[in-house]
Coordinates of all heavy atoms in Angstrom, one line a residue:
M1 N -11.0 36.0 -17.0 CA -10.0 35.0 -16.5 C -10.7 34.1 -15.4 O -11.5 34.6 -14.6 CB -8.8 35.7 -15.9 CG -7.9 34.7 -15.2 SD -6.2 35.3 -14.8 CE -6.6 36.8 -13.8
L2 N -10.4 32.8 -15.5 CA -11.0 31.9 -14.5 C -9.9 31.7 -13.4 O -8.8 31.4 -13.7 CB -11.3 30.5 -15.1 CG -12.3 30.6 -16.4 CD1 -12.5 29.1 -16.9 CD2 -13.6 31.1 -15.8
V3 N -10.4 31.6 -12.2 CA -9.5 31.5 -11.0 C -10.2 30.6 -10.0 O -11.4 30.9 -9.7 CB -9.2 32.9 -10.5 CG1 -8.3 32.8 -9.2 CG2 -8.5 33.8 -11.4
S4 N -9.4 29.7 -9.4 CA -10.1 28.8 -8.4 C -9.7 29.3 -7.1 O -8.6 29.9 -6.9 CB -9.7 27.4 -8.7 OG -8.2 27.2 -8.3
K5 N -10.6 29.0 -6.2 CA -10.3 29.4 -4.7 C -9.0 28.6 -4.2 O -8.3 29.2 -3.5 CB -11.4 29.1 -3.8 CG -11.3 29.5 -2.4 CD -12.5 29.4 -1.6 CE -12.2 29.7 -0.2 NZ -13.4 29.5 0.7
E6 N -8.9 27.3 -4.7 CA -7.8 26.6 -4.2 C -6.4 27.1 -4.8 O -5.5 27.2 -4.0 CB -7.9 25.2 -4.8 CG -9.1 24.3 -4.1 CD -10.4 24.8 -4.5 OE1 -10.5 25.4 -5.6 OE2 -11.4 24.3 -4.0
W7 N -6.5 27.8 -6.0 CA -5.1 28.4 -6.5 C -4.9 29.6 -5.8 O -3.8 29.9 -5.4 CB -5.5 28.7 -8.0 CG -4.3 29.3 -8.6 CD1 -3.1 28.7 -9.0 CD2 -4.1 30.7 -8.9 NE1 -2.2 29.6 -9.6 CE2 -2.8 30.9 -9.5 CE3 -5.0 31.8 -8.8 CZ2 -2.4 32.1 -9.9 CZ3 -4.5 33.0 -9.2 CH2 -3.2 33.2 -9.8
L8 N -6.0 30.4 -5.4 CA -5.7 31.7 -4.6 C -5.1 31.3 -3.2 O -4.3 32.0 -2.6 CB -7.0 32.4 -4.4 CG -7.4 33.2 -5.6 CD1 -8.9 33.9 -5.3 CD2 -6.5 34.2 -6.0
N9 N -5.6 30.2 -2.6 CA -5.1 29.7 -1.3 C -3.6 29.4 -1.2 O -3.0 29.4 -0.1 CB -5.9 28.5 -0.8 CG -7.1 28.8 -0.1 OD1 -7.2 29.8 0.5 ND2 -8.2 28.0 -0.2
E10 N -3.1 29.1 -2.5 CA -1.5 28.9 -2.5 C -0.8 30.1 -2.2 O 0.3 30.1 -1.8 CB -1.2 28.3 -3.9 CG -1.7 27.0 -4.2 CD -1.3 26.4 -5.5 OE1 -0.4 26.9 -6.1 OE2 -1.9 25.5 -5.9
F11 N -1.4 31.3 -2.5 CA -0.7 32.6 -2.2 C -1.2 33.3 -1.0 O -0.3 34.1 -0.4 CB -1.0 33.5 -3.5 CG -0.5 32.9 -4.8 CD1 -1.2 32.1 -5.6 CD2 0.9 32.8 -5.1 CE1 -0.9 31.5 -6.8 CE2 1.4 32.2 -6.3 CZ 0.5 31.6 -7.1
I12 N -2.4 33.3 -0.7 CA -3.0 34.0 0.5 C -4.0 33.1 1.3 O -4.6 32.2 0.7 CB -3.7 35.3 0.0 CG1 -4.8 35.0 -0.9 CG2 -2.8 36.3 -0.5 CD1 -5.7 36.2 -1.2
K13 N -4.0 33.3 2.6 CA -4.9 32.5 3.2 C -6.3 33.1 3.2 O -6.5 34.3 3.5 CB -4.5 32.5 4.9 CG -5.4 31.6 5.7 CD -4.9 31.6 7.1 CE -5.9 30.9 7.9 NZ -5.6 30.0 8.7
I14 N -7.3 32.4 2.9 CA -8.7 32.7 2.6 C -9.6 32.0 3.6 O -9.8 30.8 3.6 CB -9.1 32.5 1.2 CG1 -8.2 33.2 0.2 CG2 -10.6 33.0 1.1 CD1 -8.5 32.8 -1.2
D15 N -10.2 32.9 4.6 CA -11.0 32.4 5.6 C -12.5 32.5 5.2 O -13.4 32.1 5.9 CB -10.8 32.9 6.9 CG -9.4 32.6 7.5 OD1 -9.0 31.4 7.3 OD2 -8.8 33.4 8.2
A16 N -12.7 33.3 4.2 CA -14.1 33.7 3.8 C -14.7 32.6 2.9 O -14.1 31.9 2.3 CB -14.1 35.0 3.0
G17 N -16.1 32.5 3.0 CA -16.8 31.7 2.1 C -16.7 32.2 0.7 O -16.4 33.3 0.4
I18 N -17.1 31.4 -0.3 CA -16.9 31.8 -1.7 C -17.8 33.0 -2.1 O -17.3 33.9 -2.9 CB -17.2 30.5 -2.6 CG1 -16.7 30.7 -4.0 CG2 -18.8 30.2 -2.7 CD1 -15.2 30.9 -4.1
E19 N -18.9 33.2 -1.6 CA -19.8 34.4 -1.9 C -19.2 35.5 -1.3 O -19.1 36.6 -2.0 CB -21.3 34.2 -1.3 CG -22.0 33.0 -1.9 CD -22.3 33.1 -3.4 OE1 -22.5 34.3 -3.8 OE2 -22.6 32.1 -4.1
E20 N -18.8 35.5 -0.1 CA -18.1 36.6 0.5 C -16.8 37.1 -0.2 O -16.6 38.2 -0.4 CB -17.9 36.3 1.9 CG -17.2 37.6 2.8 CD -16.9 37.1 4.2 OE1 -17.3 36.0 4.7 OE2 -16.3 37.9 4.9
L21 N -16.0 36.1 -0.6 CA -14.9 36.3 -1.3 C -15.1 36.9 -2.7 O -14.5 38.0 -3.0 CB -14.1 34.9 -1.6 CG -12.8 35.1 -2.4 CD1 -11.8 36.0 -1.7 CD2 -12.2 33.6 -2.6
A22 N -16.1 36.5 -3.3 CA -16.6 37.1 -4.6 C -16.9 38.6 -4.5 O -16.6 39.5 -5.2 CB -17.6 36.3 -5.3
E23 N -17.6 38.8 -3.3 CA -18.1 40.2 -3.0 C -16.8 41.2 -2.7 O -16.7 42.3 -3.2 CB -19.0 40.2 -1.8 CG -19.5 41.6 -1.4 CD -20.4 42.3 -2.5 OE1 -21.0 41.6 -3.3 OE2 -20.5 43.5 -2.4
K24 N -15.9 40.7 -2.0 CA -14.8 41.4 -1.7 C -13.9 41.7 -2.9 O -13.4 42.7 -3.1 CB -13.9 40.7 -0.7 CG -14.5 40.7 0.7 CD -13.6 40.1 1.8 CE -14.2 40.1 3.2 NZ -13.4 39.6 4.2
I25 N -13.7 40.7 -3.8 CA -13.0 40.9 -5.0 C -13.6 41.9 -5.8 O -13.0 42.8 -6.5 CB -12.8 39.6 -5.8 CG1 -11.9 38.6 -5.0 CG2 -12.3 39.7 -7.2 CD1 -11.9 37.2 -5.6
T26 N -15.0 41.8 -6.1 CA -15.8 42.9 -6.9 C -15.6 44.2 -6.2 O -15.3 45.1 -7.0 CB -17.2 42.4 -6.9 OG1 -17.3 41.1 -7.5 CG2 -18.1 43.5 -7.7
R27 N -15.7 44.3 -5.0 CA -15.5 45.7 -4.3 C -14.1 46.3 -4.5 O -13.8 47.4 -4.4 CB -15.8 45.6 -2.9 CG -17.4 45.5 -2.7 CD -17.7 45.5 -1.2 NE -19.1 45.3 -1.0 CZ -19.8 45.6 0.1 NH1 -19.2 46.1 1.1 NH2 -21.1 45.4 0.2
S28 N -13.1 45.3 -4.7 CA -11.8 45.9 -4.9 C -11.5 46.3 -6.3 O -10.4 46.8 -6.6 CB -10.8 44.8 -4.6 OG -10.8 43.8 -5.7
G29 N -12.5 46.2 -7.2 CA -12.5 46.7 -8.6 C -12.3 45.6 -9.7 O -12.1 46.0 -10.9
I30 N -12.3 44.4 -9.3 CA -12.2 43.2 -10.3 C -13.6 42.6 -10.2 O -13.9 42.0 -9.3 CB -11.1 42.3 -10.0 CG1 -9.7 42.9 -9.8 CG2 -11.1 41.2 -10.9 CD1 -8.7 42.1 -9.3
E31 N -14.4 42.7 -11.3 CA -15.7 42.2 -11.3 C -15.7 40.7 -11.4 O -15.0 40.0 -12.2 CB -16.5 42.7 -12.5 CG -18.0 42.2 -12.6 CD -18.7 42.9 -13.7 OE1 -18.2 43.7 -14.4 OE2 -19.8 42.4 -13.8
V32 N -16.5 40.0 -10.6 CA -16.7 38.6 -10.6 C -17.9 38.4 -11.4 O -19.1 38.7 -11.0 CB -16.7 37.9 -9.0 CG1 -17.1 36.5 -9.3 CG2 -15.5 38.2 -8.4
D33 N -17.8 37.7 -12.6 CA -19.0 37.5 -13.5 C -19.9 36.3 -12.9 O -21.0 36.4 -13.1 CB -18.5 37.1 -14.9 CG -18.0 38.5 -15.7 OD1 -18.4 39.6 -15.2 OD2 -17.1 38.2 -16.4
S34 N -19.2 35.3 -12.5 CA -20.0 34.1 -12.1 C -19.1 33.2 -11.1 O -17.8 33.3 -11.2 CB -20.4 33.3 -13.3 OG -19.3 32.7 -14.0
I35 N -19.9 32.4 -10.4 CA -19.2 31.4 -9.5 C -19.7 30.0 -10.1 O -20.9 29.8 -10.1 CB -19.6 31.6 -8.1 CG1 -19.0 33.0 -7.6 CG2 -19.0 30.7 -7.2 CD1 -19.6 33.5 -6.3
T36 N -18.7 29.2 -10.2 CA -19.1 27.8 -10.6 C -18.6 26.8 -9.6 O -17.4 26.8 -9.4 CB -18.5 27.5 -12.0 OG1 -18.8 28.4 -13.1 CG2 -18.9 26.1 -12.5
D37 N -19.5 26.0 -9.0 CA -19.2 25.1 -8.0 C -19.1 23.7 -8.9 O -20.2 23.0 -9.0 CB -20.1 25.0 -6.9 CG -19.7 24.0 -5.9 OD1 -18.7 23.3 -5.9 OD2 -20.6 23.9 -4.9
Y38 N -17.9 23.2 -9.2 CA -17.7 21.9 -9.9 C -18.0 20.7 -9.0 O -18.2 19.6 -9.5 CB -16.3 21.9 -10.6 CG -16.2 22.8 -11.7 CD1 -15.5 24.0 -11.6 CD2 -16.9 22.6 -13.0 CE1 -15.4 24.8 -12.7 CE2 -16.8 23.5 -14.0 CZ -16.0 24.6 -13.8 OH -15.9 25.6 -14.9
S39 N -17.9 21.0 -7.7 CA -18.0 19.8 -6.8 C -19.5 19.5 -6.6 O -19.7 18.3 -6.1 CB -17.3 20.2 -5.5 OG -18.0 21.2 -4.8
K40 N -20.4 20.2 -7.0 CA -21.8 20.0 -6.6 C -22.3 18.8 -7.4 O -23.2 18.2 -7.0 CB -22.7 21.2 -6.8 CG -22.9 21.5 -8.2 CD -23.9 22.8 -8.3 CE -23.9 23.0 -9.9 NZ -24.9 24.1 -10.1
D41 N -21.8 18.5 -8.6 CA -22.2 17.4 -9.4 C -21.6 16.1 -9.1 O -22.0 15.1 -9.7 CB -22.0 17.8 -10.9 CG -22.9 18.9 -11.3 OD1 -24.0 19.1 -10.8 OD2 -22.6 19.7 -12.2
I42 N -20.5 16.1 -8.3 CA -19.7 14.9 -8.1 C -20.5 13.9 -7.1 O -20.9 14.4 -6.1 CB -18.3 15.3 -7.6 CG1 -17.5 16.0 -8.7 CG2 -17.5 14.1 -7.1 CD1 -16.2 16.6 -8.2
K43 N -20.7 12.8 -7.6 CA -21.3 11.7 -6.8 C -20.5 10.4 -7.0 O -20.1 10.0 -8.0 CB -22.7 11.4 -7.3 CG -23.5 12.7 -7.0 CD -25.0 12.4 -7.6 CE -25.8 13.7 -7.5 NZ -27.1 13.5 -8.2
K44 N -20.3 9.7 -5.8 CA -19.6 8.4 -5.7 C -18.2 8.3 -6.5 O -18.0 7.5 -7.1 CB -20.5 7.4 -6.4 CG -21.8 7.2 -5.7 CD -22.7 6.1 -6.1 CE -23.9 5.9 -5.3 NZ -24.6 4.7 -5.8
L45 N -17.4 9.3 -6.1 CA -16.1 9.5 -6.7 C -15.1 9.1 -5.5 O -15.2 9.7 -4.5 CB -15.8 10.9 -7.2 CG -14.5 11.1 -7.9 CD1 -14.5 10.4 -9.3 CD2 -14.3 12.6 -8.1
V46 N -14.3 8.1 -5.8 CA -13.3 7.7 -4.7 C -11.9 7.4 -5.3 O -11.8 7.3 -6.6 CB -13.8 6.3 -4.2 CG1 -15.1 6.5 -3.4 CG2 -13.9 5.3 -5.1
V47 N -10.9 7.4 -4.5 CA -9.7 7.1 -4.9 C -9.5 5.6 -4.6 O -9.7 5.0 -3.6 CB -8.5 7.7 -4.1 CG1 -7.2 7.3 -4.5 CG2 -8.8 9.2 -4.4
G48 N -9.1 4.7 -5.7 CA -8.9 3.3 -5.6 C -7.4 3.0 -5.8 O -6.7 3.7 -6.2
H49 N -7.1 1.8 -5.4 CA -5.7 1.3 -5.5 C -5.7 0.0 -6.4 O -6.5 -0.9 -6.2 CB -5.2 0.8 -4.1 CG -3.7 0.4 -4.2 ND1 -3.5 -1.0 -4.0 CD2 -2.6 1.1 -4.3 CE1 -2.2 -1.1 -4.2 NE2 -1.7 0.1 -4.3
V50 N -5.0 0.1 -7.6 CA -5.0 -1.1 -8.5 C -4.2 -2.1 -7.9 O -3.0 -2.1 -7.6 CB -4.4 -0.6 -9.8 CG1 -4.3 -1.8 -10.9 CG2 -5.2 0.6 -10.4
V51 N -5.0 -3.3 -7.7 CA -4.2 -4.4 -7.0 C -3.6 -5.4 -8.0 O -2.5 -5.8 -7.8 CB -5.3 -5.2 -6.1 CG1 -4.7 -6.4 -5.5 CG2 -5.9 -4.3 -5.0
S52 N -4.3 -5.5 -9.2 CA -3.7 -6.3 -10.2 C -4.3 -5.9 -11.5 O -5.3 -5.2 -11.6 CB -4.1 -7.8 -10.0 OG -5.5 -8.0 -10.2
K53 N -3.5 -6.3 -12.6 CA -3.8 -5.8 -14.0 C -3.4 -7.0 -14.8 O -2.3 -7.6 -14.8 CB -3.0 -4.6 -14.3 CG -3.2 -4.2 -15.8 CD -2.3 -3.0 -16.2 CE -2.0 -3.0 -17.6 NZ -1.0 -1.8 -17.9
E54 N -4.4 -7.3 -15.7 CA -4.3 -8.5 -16.7 C -4.7 -8.1 -18.0 O -5.7 -7.3 -18.1 CB -4.9 -9.7 -16.2 CG -4.6 -10.3 -14.8 CD -5.5 -11.4 -14.4 OE1 -6.4 -11.8 -15.1 OE2 -5.3 -11.9 -13.3
K55 N -4.2 -8.7 -19.1 CA -4.6 -8.4 -20.4 C -6.0 -9.0 -20.5 O -6.4 -10.1 -20.0 CB -3.8 -9.0 -21.4 CG -2.4 -8.2 -21.7 CD -2.7 -6.9 -22.5 CE -1.5 -6.2 -22.7 NZ -1.7 -4.9 -23.2
H56 N -7.0 -8.3 -21.2 CA -8.2 -8.8 -21.5 C -8.1 -10.0 -22.5 O -7.5 -9.8 -23.6 CB -9.1 -7.7 -22.1 CG -10.7 -8.1 -22.1 ND1 -11.1 -9.1 -23.0 CD2 -11.6 -7.7 -21.3 CE1 -12.4 -9.1 -22.8 NE2 -12.9 -8.3 -21.8
P57 N -8.7 -11.1 -22.2 CA -8.5 -12.3 -23.2 C -9.2 -12.1 -24.6 O -8.8 -12.8 -25.5 CB -9.2 -13.4 -22.5 CG -10.3 -12.7 -21.5 CD -9.6 -11.5 -21.2
E58 N -10.1 -11.1 -24.7 CA -10.8 -11.0 -26.0 C -10.5 -9.7 -26.6 O -11.3 -9.3 -27.6 CB -12.3 -11.2 -25.8 CG -12.6 -12.6 -25.3 CD -14.1 -12.9 -25.0 OE1 -14.8 -12.2 -25.6 OE2 -14.3 -13.9 -24.3
A59 N -9.7 -8.8 -26.1 CA -9.4 -7.5 -26.7 C -8.0 -7.2 -26.5 O -7.4 -7.3 -25.5 CB -10.4 -6.4 -26.0
D60 N -7.5 -6.7 -27.6 CA -6.0 -6.3 -27.6 C -5.7 -5.1 -26.8 O -4.6 -5.0 -26.2 CB -5.5 -6.1 -29.0 CG -5.5 -7.3 -29.9 OD1 -5.5 -8.4 -29.3 OD2 -5.6 -7.3 -31.2
K61 N -6.6 -4.1 -26.7 CA -6.2 -2.8 -26.1 C -6.8 -2.7 -24.7 O -6.8 -1.5 -24.2 CB -6.5 -1.6 -27.1 CG -5.7 -1.7 -28.3 CD -5.9 -0.5 -29.1 CE -5.1 -0.5 -30.3 NZ -5.2 0.6 -31.2
L62 N -7.4 -3.7 -24.2 CA -8.1 -3.5 -22.8 C -7.4 -4.4 -21.8 O -6.8 -5.4 -22.1 CB -9.6 -4.1 -23.1 CG -10.5 -3.3 -23.9 CD1 -11.9 -3.9 -23.9 CD2 -10.6 -1.8 -23.5
N63 N -7.6 -3.9 -20.6 CA -7.0 -4.7 -19.5 C -8.1 -4.9 -18.5 O -9.1 -4.1 -18.3 CB -5.8 -3.7 -18.7 CG -4.6 -3.7 -19.7 OD1 -4.2 -4.6 -20.2 ND2 -4.3 -2.4 -19.9
I64 N -8.0 -5.9 -17.6 CA -8.9 -6.2 -16.6 C -8.1 -5.9 -15.2 O -7.2 -6.5 -14.9 CB -9.4 -7.6 -16.5 CG1 -10.1 -7.9 -17.9 CG2 -10.3 -7.9 -15.4 CD1 -10.6 -9.4 -18.0
C65 N -8.6 -4.8 -14.6 CA -7.9 -4.4 -13.3 C -8.8 -4.8 -12.1 O -10.0 -4.6 -12.1 CB -7.8 -2.9 -13.3 SG -6.6 -2.3 -14.7
K66 N -8.2 -5.2 -11.0 CA -8.8 -5.5 -9.8 C -8.5 -4.2 -8.9 O -7.2 -4.0 -8.8 CB -8.4 -6.7 -9.0 CG -8.7 -7.9 -9.9 CD -10.1 -8.6 -9.4 CE -10.2 -9.8 -10.2 NZ -11.3 -10.5 -10.0
V67 N -9.4 -3.5 -8.4 CA -9.3 -2.2 -7.7 C -9.8 -2.3 -6.4 O -11.0 -2.6 -6.2 CB -9.8 -1.0 -8.6 CG1 -9.4 0.2 -7.9 CG2 -9.2 -1.1 -10.0
D68 N -9.1 -1.9 -5.4 CA -9.5 -1.7 -4.0 C -10.1 -0.3 -3.9 O -9.3 0.7 -4.0 CB -8.4 -1.9 -3.0 CG -8.8 -1.9 -1.5 OD1 -10.0 -1.5 -1.3 OD2 -7.9 -1.9 -0.7
V69 N -11.4 -0.3 -3.6 CA -12.2 1.0 -3.5 C -12.7 1.1 -2.1 O -13.6 2.0 -1.9 CB -13.2 1.2 -4.6 CG1 -12.7 1.3 -5.9 CG2 -14.3 0.2 -4.5
G70 N -12.2 0.4 -1.2 CA -12.6 0.5 0.2 C -13.8 -0.3 0.5 O -14.4 -0.2 1.6
E71 N -14.2 -1.1 -0.3 CA -15.4 -2.1 0.0 C -14.8 -3.5 0.4 O -13.6 -3.7 0.3 CB -16.3 -2.3 -1.3 CG -16.9 -0.9 -1.7 CD -17.7 -1.0 -2.8 OE1 -17.8 -2.1 -3.6 OE2 -18.5 -0.1 -3.2
E72 N -15.7 -4.4 0.8 CA -15.3 -5.6 1.2 C -14.5 -6.5 0.2 O -13.6 -7.1 0.6 CB -16.6 -6.5 1.6 CG -16.5 -7.1 3.0 CD -17.8 -7.8 3.3 OE1 -17.9 -8.9 3.0 OE2 -18.6 -7.2 4.0
E73 N -14.9 -6.5 -1.1 CA -14.3 -7.1 -2.1 C -13.7 -6.0 -3.1 O -14.3 -5.0 -3.3 CB -15.2 -8.0 -2.9 CG -15.7 -9.2 -2.0 CD -16.5 -10.2 -2.8 OE1 -16.4 -10.2 -4.1 OE2 -17.3 -10.9 -2.2
H74 N -12.7 -6.5 -3.9 CA -12.1 -5.6 -4.9 C -13.1 -5.7 -6.1 O -13.8 -6.6 -6.4 CB -10.8 -6.1 -5.3 CG -9.8 -6.0 -4.3 ND1 -8.7 -6.9 -4.3 CD2 -9.6 -5.2 -3.2 CE1 -8.0 -6.6 -3.1 NE2 -8.4 -5.7 -2.5
V75 N -13.1 -4.4 -6.8 CA -14.0 -4.4 -7.9 C -13.2 -4.7 -9.2 O -11.9 -4.4 -9.3 CB -14.7 -3.0 -8.0 CG1 -15.7 -2.7 -6.9 CG2 -13.8 -1.9 -8.1
Q76 N -13.8 -5.2 -10.2 CA -13.1 -5.5 -11.5 C -13.6 -4.3 -12.5 O -14.8 -4.1 -12.6 CB -13.7 -6.8 -12.0 CG -13.1 -7.2 -13.3 CD -13.5 -8.5 -13.8 OE1 -13.2 -9.6 -13.2 NE2 -14.3 -8.6 -14.8
I77 N -12.5 -3.7 -13.0 CA -12.7 -2.6 -14.0 C -12.0 -2.9 -15.3 O -10.8 -3.2 -15.2 CB -12.2 -1.3 -13.4 CG1 -13.0 -1.0 -12.1 CG2 -12.3 -0.2 -14.4 CD1 -12.5 0.3 -11.3
V78 N -12.8 -2.9 -16.4 CA -12.1 -3.1 -17.7 C -11.7 -1.8 -18.0 O -12.4 -0.7 -18.2 CB -13.2 -3.8 -18.7 CG1 -12.5 -3.8 -20.1 CG2 -13.6 -5.1 -18.2
C79 N -10.4 -1.6 -18.4 CA -9.9 -0.4 -18.7 C -9.0 -0.3 -20.0 O -8.3 -1.4 -20.3 CB -9.0 0.0 -17.5 SG -8.0 1.5 -17.6
G80 N -9.2 0.7 -20.7 CA -8.2 0.8 -21.9 C -7.2 1.8 -21.8 O -6.4 2.0 -22.8
A81 N -7.0 2.4 -20.7 CA -6.0 3.4 -20.6 C -4.6 2.7 -20.5 O -4.4 1.9 -19.6 CB -6.1 4.2 -19.2
P82 N -3.7 3.1 -21.4 CA -2.4 2.5 -21.4 C -1.5 2.8 -20.2 O -0.5 2.1 -19.9 CB -1.6 2.9 -22.7 CG -2.3 4.3 -23.0 CD -3.8 4.2 -22.4
N83 N -1.7 3.9 -19.5 CA -0.8 4.4 -18.5 C -1.3 3.9 -17.0 O -0.7 4.3 -16.0 CB -0.8 5.9 -18.3 CG -2.2 6.5 -18.2 OD1 -3.2 5.8 -18.5 ND2 -2.3 7.8 -17.8
V84 N -2.3 3.0 -16.9 CA -2.8 2.4 -15.6 C -1.9 1.2 -15.4 O -1.8 0.3 -16.2 CB -4.2 2.1 -15.6 CG1 -4.6 1.3 -14.3 CG2 -5.0 3.3 -15.7
D85 N -1.4 1.0 -14.1 CA -0.6 -0.2 -13.8 C -0.8 -0.5 -12.3 O -1.4 0.2 -11.6 CB 0.9 0.2 -14.1 CG 1.7 -1.1 -14.5 OD1 1.2 -2.2 -14.4 OD2 2.9 -0.9 -14.9
E86 N -0.5 -1.7 -12.0 CA -0.6 -2.3 -10.7 C 0.2 -1.4 -9.7 O 1.3 -1.0 -10.0 CB 0.0 -3.7 -10.8 CG -0.2 -4.5 -9.5 CD 0.2 -5.9 -9.6 OE1 -0.1 -6.6 -10.6 OE2 0.9 -6.4 -8.7
G87 N -0.4 -1.2 -8.6 CA 0.2 -0.5 -7.5 C -0.1 1.0 -7.6 O 0.1 1.8 -6.6
Q88 N -0.8 1.5 -8.6 CA -1.1 2.9 -8.7 C -2.5 3.2 -8.0 O -3.2 2.4 -7.8 CB -1.2 3.3 -10.1 CG 0.0 3.3 -10.9 CD -0.4 3.8 -12.4 OE1 -1.4 3.5 -12.9 NE2 0.6 4.4 -13.0
H89 N -2.6 4.5 -7.5 CA -3.8 5.0 -7.1 C -4.5 5.7 -8.2 O -3.9 6.5 -9.0 CB -3.5 6.0 -6.0 CG -3.1 5.3 -4.6 ND1 -1.9 5.0 -4.4 CD2 -3.9 4.7 -3.6 CE1 -1.8 4.3 -3.2 NE2 -3.0 4.2 -2.8
V90 N -5.7 5.4 -8.4 CA -6.6 6.0 -9.5 C -7.8 6.5 -9.0 O -8.4 6.1 -8.0 CB -6.8 4.9 -10.6 CG1 -5.5 4.4 -11.2 CG2 -7.6 3.7 -10.0
I91 N -8.4 7.4 -9.8 CA -9.8 8.0 -9.5 C -10.8 7.0 -10.1 O -10.7 6.5 -11.2 CB -10.0 9.4 -10.1 CG1 -8.9 10.3 -9.6 CG2 -11.4 9.8 -9.9 CD1 -9.1 10.6 -8.1
V92 N -11.8 6.6 -9.2 CA -12.8 5.6 -9.7 C -14.2 6.4 -9.5 O -14.5 6.8 -8.4 CB -12.7 4.4 -8.9 CG1 -13.8 3.4 -9.3 CG2 -11.4 3.7 -9.1
V93 N -15.1 6.3 -10.5 CA -16.4 6.7 -10.3 C -17.3 5.4 -10.2 O -17.3 4.6 -11.1 CB -16.9 7.5 -11.5 CG1 -18.4 8.0 -11.2 CG2 -16.0 8.7 -11.7
K94 N -17.7 5.3 -9.0 CA -18.5 4.0 -8.8 C -19.9 4.0 -9.5 O -20.2 5.0 -10.0 CB -18.7 3.9 -7.2 CG -17.4 3.7 -6.5 CD -17.5 3.8 -5.0 CE -18.2 2.6 -4.4 NZ -18.2 2.7 -3.0
V95 N -20.5 2.7 -9.5 CA -21.7 2.7 -10.3 C -22.8 3.7 -9.8 O -22.9 3.8 -8.5 CB -22.2 1.1 -10.1 CG1 -23.7 1.0 -10.8 CG2 -21.3 0.2 -10.8
G96 N -23.3 4.4 -10.6 CA -24.4 5.4 -10.3 C -23.7 6.7 -10.0 O -24.4 7.7 -9.6
G97 N -22.4 6.8 -10.2 CA -21.7 8.0 -9.9 C -21.9 9.1 -11.0 O -22.4 8.7 -12.1
R98 N -21.3 10.3 -10.8 CA -21.5 11.3 -11.6 C -20.2 12.3 -11.6 O -19.7 12.5 -10.5 CB -22.7 12.2 -11.5 CG -23.0 13.2 -12.4 CD -24.3 13.9 -12.0 NE -24.5 15.1 -12.9 CZ -25.5 15.1 -13.8 NH1 -26.3 14.2 -13.8 NH2 -25.6 16.2 -14.5
L99 N -19.7 12.6 -12.7 CA -18.6 13.6 -12.7 C -19.0 15.0 -13.1 O -20.2 15.2 -13.6 CB -17.6 13.2 -13.9 CG -16.7 11.8 -13.6 CD1 -16.0 11.5 -14.8 CD2 -16.0 12.0 -12.5
P100 N -18.2 16.0 -12.8 CA -18.7 17.4 -13.1 C -19.0 17.5 -14.5 O -18.4 17.0 -15.4 CB -17.4 18.2 -12.8 CG -16.7 17.4 -11.9 CD -16.9 16.1 -12.2
G101 N -20.1 18.3 -14.8 CA -20.6 18.5 -16.1 C -21.5 17.4 -16.6 O -21.8 17.4 -17.8
G102 N -21.8 16.4 -15.8 CA -22.7 15.3 -16.3 C -21.9 14.2 -17.0 O -22.6 13.3 -17.5

């Protein structure tokens, strides 16, 4: 079974580091096979605010979004997701960024 430390924190307060927690769980009789840190691969991931959304002039299913990612100017993102709309907060991987798992 896969269990996240964040999920465990919803039920009990955990002050131990992940290695120490794994050791305590194993000593209690539940073997911890492995520890996966999904955050180690994340690079340049930010929360952006969609300022505007317009239909792409040359594609039926694409939109051009202006997104505030905390920089001086808003970035333009061409997006095909039908559920993105003006005023929403969205996850943005900036140029050169990386998501978990590559």
Side-chain angles (χ1 to χ4, degrees):
M1 173 168 49
L2 300 176
V3 177
S4 73
K5 184 178 178 188
E6 289 77 14
W7 180 75
L8 286 175
N9 272 327
E10 291 181 20
F11 301 99
I12 57 174
K13 183 176 167 128
I14 302 172
D15 293 326
I18 196 70
E19 298 290 334
E20 183 182 349
L21 177 62
E23 179 67 25
K24 287 181 178 184
I25 291 172
T26 298
R27 287 185 183 198
S28 73
I30 303 169
E31 184 179 353
V32 174
D33 290 332
S34 65
I35 299 171
T36 306
D37 182 2
Y38 291 106
S39 66
K40 71 178 181 177
D41 292 332
I42 296 175
K43 295 178 186 170
K44 298 187 178 184
L45 185 70
V46 297
V47 175
H49 182 256
V50 180
V51 177
S52 67
K53 173 185 159 185
E54 301 172 4
K55 287 284 187 192
H56 192 288
E58 299 176 20
D60 293 337
K61 296 184 180 183
L62 295 178
N63 296 303
I64 300 174
C65 299
K66 298 270 186 186
V67 182
D68 180 359
V69 293
E71 295 179 352
E72 230 176 87
E73 294 186 20
H74 297 151
V75 295
Q76 178 176 294
I77 299 174
V78 177
C79 174
N83 59 339
V84 172
D85 210 350
E86 188 175 315
Q88 290 181 330
H89 287 89
V90 294
I91 300 296
V92 178
V93 180
K94 295 168 73 174
V95 175
R98 185 178 173 115
L99 292 174

